[in-house]
């Protein structure tokens, strides 16, 4: 993260001034707005706090038409990550793709109709409707909730299947350990409070089960004056990069071949006392020519099968409302 961004976040945090922000994955672009509830440049709903003005959502059925990349094209990217895993450069890598999509409603309407804990809409750029917390800080306690493992909720014994899956379990252990180590760099008394619990998501493609864990630690009382510094240590989020982080980030950059931009960055709201922030997954971006791309990804380990991972990134192209 650029030092100027860190300094600005530290300054506002230390002064106890409320703000809302979006930071891109490469940590090179920061959208930061003071008086967050009064502005309309960035629409947001973060943990139930929103500047969304009251309006009636359209009852027009939303149609999302996706044109996924071929499985062969995905396999070429998968092979790059697989090679890094075989070399021992990485144990877990989050590989993402961009899927061209067509929508019959505007992105602003997607924002208003989406049901997600973390929503933001930057006109002309993107809409995000993410289920994943990055960090939450209340008092002096910092919490992370990494998500790893998704399954169709309608499958027989879906919960037992996802919790018993060897590959998914190994992946979740790796991410939990990574996040615990990350938090230990900024906090003390770090512990895993809950391990592999299940949430249910309702999407335009049906119900999904998502596996998460809760990891907590204790910050010093003056953490607000170091908010930017804390975030810079923790970024990028482990759940959307991998482990070990530095080498894995290089491997996925080679495989993906383009910047992620705000996709898999973070959005957050600071009310002057507490922070709530989310990882910007479940994301539709608007290109300069007006076309749309839906970004999605999944964790790759040495035990991953290319065909299964391809199906997962395609399955994650959905709208979070019926």
């Amino acid at each position: 993260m650029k030092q100027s961004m860190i300094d600005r976040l530290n300054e506002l945090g230390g002064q106890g001034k409320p703000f809302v922000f979006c930071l891109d994955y490469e940590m090179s672009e920061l959208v930061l707005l003071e008086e967050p509830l009064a502005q309309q440049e960035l629409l947001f709903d973060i943990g139930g706090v929103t500047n969304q003005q009251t309006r009636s959502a359209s009852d027009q059925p939303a149609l999302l038409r996706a044109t996924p990349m071929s499985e062969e094209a995905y396999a070429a990217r998968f092979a790059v990550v697989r090679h890094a895993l075989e070399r021992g450069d990485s144990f877990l890598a989050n590989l993402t793709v961009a899927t061209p999509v067509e929508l019959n409603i505007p992105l602003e309407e997607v924002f208003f109709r989406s049901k997600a804990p973390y929503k933001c809409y930057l006109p002309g750029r993107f809409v995000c409707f993410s289920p994943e917390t990055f960090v939450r800080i209340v008092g002096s306690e910092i919490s992370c909730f990494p998500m790893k493992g998704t399954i169709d909720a309608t499958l027989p014994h879906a919960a037992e299947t996802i919790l018993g899956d060897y590959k998914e379990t190994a992946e979740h252990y790796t991410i939990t350990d990574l996040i615990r180590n990350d938090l230990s760099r900024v906090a003390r008394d770090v512990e895993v409070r809950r391990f592999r619990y299940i949430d249910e998501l309702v999407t335009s493609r049906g119900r999904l089960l998502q596996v998460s864990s809760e990891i907590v630690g204790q910050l010093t009382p003056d953490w607000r004056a170091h908010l930017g510094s804390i975030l810079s240590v923790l970024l990028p989020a482990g759940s959307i990069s991998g482990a070990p982080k530095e080498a894995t980030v290089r491997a996925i950059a080679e495989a993906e071949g383009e910047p992620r931009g705000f996709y898999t960055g973070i959005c957050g709201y600071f009310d002057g006392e507490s922070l709530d922030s989310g990882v910007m997954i479940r994301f539709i971006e608007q290109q300069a020519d007006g076309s749309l791309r839906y970004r999605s990804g999944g964790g790759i380990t040495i035990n991953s099968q290319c065909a299964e991972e391809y199906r997962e990134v395609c399955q994650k192209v959905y709208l979070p409302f019926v």
Side-chain angles (χ1 to χ4, degrees):
M1 190 190 304
K2 296 177 182 177
Q3 189 61 46
S4 59
M5 298 177 183
I6 296 173
D7 292 343
R8 184 60 175 153
L9 291 166
N10 288 344
E11 178 186 10
L12 293 178
Q15 294 173 351
K17 290 186 176 181
F19 61 87
V20 65
F21 71 98
C22 293
L23 177 65
D24 74 337
Y25 169 79
E26 285 79 22
M27 292 176 279
S28 61
E29 185 175 0
L30 174 68
V31 174
L32 187 152
L33 298 164
E34 297 183 56
E35 300 184 9
L37 300 180
Q39 59 80 35
Q40 291 290 293
E41 298 173 54
L42 173 71
L43 298 184
F44 71 92
D45 186 331
I46 294 176
V49 178
T50 181
N51 66 338
Q52 176 178 318
Q53 297 179 341
T54 302
R55 55 156 282 180
S56 298
S58 167
D59 58 3
Q60 177 184 4
L63 301 176
L64 177 69
R65 180 180 179 183
T67 308
M69 69 166 53
S70 68
E71 189 169 348
E72 290 74 20
Y74 178 84
R77 298 186 179 200
F78 181 90
V80 174
V81 171
R82 175 80 185 199
H83 187 50
L85 294 168
E86 291 172 343
R87 289 197 308 264
D89 296 343
S90 177
F91 304 109
L92 170 65
N94 187 269
L95 177 62
T96 76
V97 300
T99 299
V101 296
E102 296 178 13
L103 267 173
N104 67 329
I105 60 173
L107 294 188
E108 182 179 14
E109 184 72 16
V110 174
F111 171 82
F112 281 108
R113 293 171 65 174
S114 293
K115 295 176 175 61
Y118 301 94
K119 301 195 304 180
C120 51
Y121 167 60
L122 188 60
R125 299 289 299 276
F126 64 81
V127 66
C128 176
F129 35 91
S130 175
E132 182 171 357
T133 303
F134 175 53
V135 296
R136 187 177 293 144
I137 309 177
V138 179
S140 291
E141 183 173 271
I142 183 170
S143 307
C144 289
F145 302 82
M147 294 179 121
K148 278 295 170 188
T150 304
I151 191 171
D152 183 343
T154 65
L155 293 175
H157 310 293
E160 293 86 347
T161 298
I162 191 68
L163 291 176
D165 184 278
Y166 175 80
K167 179 260 181 185
E168 296 288 358
T169 302
E171 185 177 328
H172 205 102
Y173 267 107
T174 299
I175 282 300
T176 301
D177 192 51
L178 171 62
I179 300 299
R180 183 172 53 189
N181 288 339
D182 278 353
L183 279 188
S184 295
R185 299 172 64 191
V186 299
R188 56 182 172 78
D189 299 329
V190 176
E191 62 174 337
V192 180
R193 182 169 291 170
R194 288 186 292 169
F195 184 65
R196 300 193 80 211
Y197 63 90
I198 290 180
D199 290 320
E200 183 173 303
L201 308 177
V202 178
T203 80
S204 58
R205 292 190 169 185
R207 296 181 299 115
L208 298 175
L209 299 184
Q210 179 79 62
V211 184
S212 302
S213 287
E214 178 184 8
I215 308 162
V216 302
Q218 304 302 315
L219 298 172
T220 58
D222 65 344
W223 65 266
R224 295 171 187 84
H226 306 284
L227 180 54
S229 301
I230 291 170
L231 293 178
S232 69
V233 171
L234 299 177
L235 289 167
S239 62
I240 48 76
S241 54
K245 191 178 287 186
E246 186 175 344
T248 302
V249 166
R250 289 196 298 268
I252 57 181
E254 179 185 354
E256 293 174 3
E258 64 174 331
R260 291 184 179 180
F262 279 100
Y263 171 58
T264 65
I266 61 171
C267 60
Y269 173 73
F270 177 70
D271 66 3
E273 291 289 331
S274 303
L275 173 75
D276 195 2
S277 61
V279 184
M280 290 198 288
I281 58 175
R282 313 299 189 265
F283 187 96
I284 305 174
E285 64 185 5
Q286 183 174 324
Q287 303 288 87
D289 63 1
S291 62
L292 304 176
R293 301 198 305 173
Y294 195 120
R295 308 292 290 257
S296 62
I300 310 298
T301 71
I302 197 68
N303 297 306
S304 296
Q305 300 299 313
C306 183
E308 293 178 3
E309 298 300 331
Y310 176 72
R311 283 194 295 272
E312 180 177 336
V313 297
C314 292
Q315 182 186 46
K316 287 179 178 176
V317 178
Y318 67 80
L319 297 174
F321 50 87
V322 178

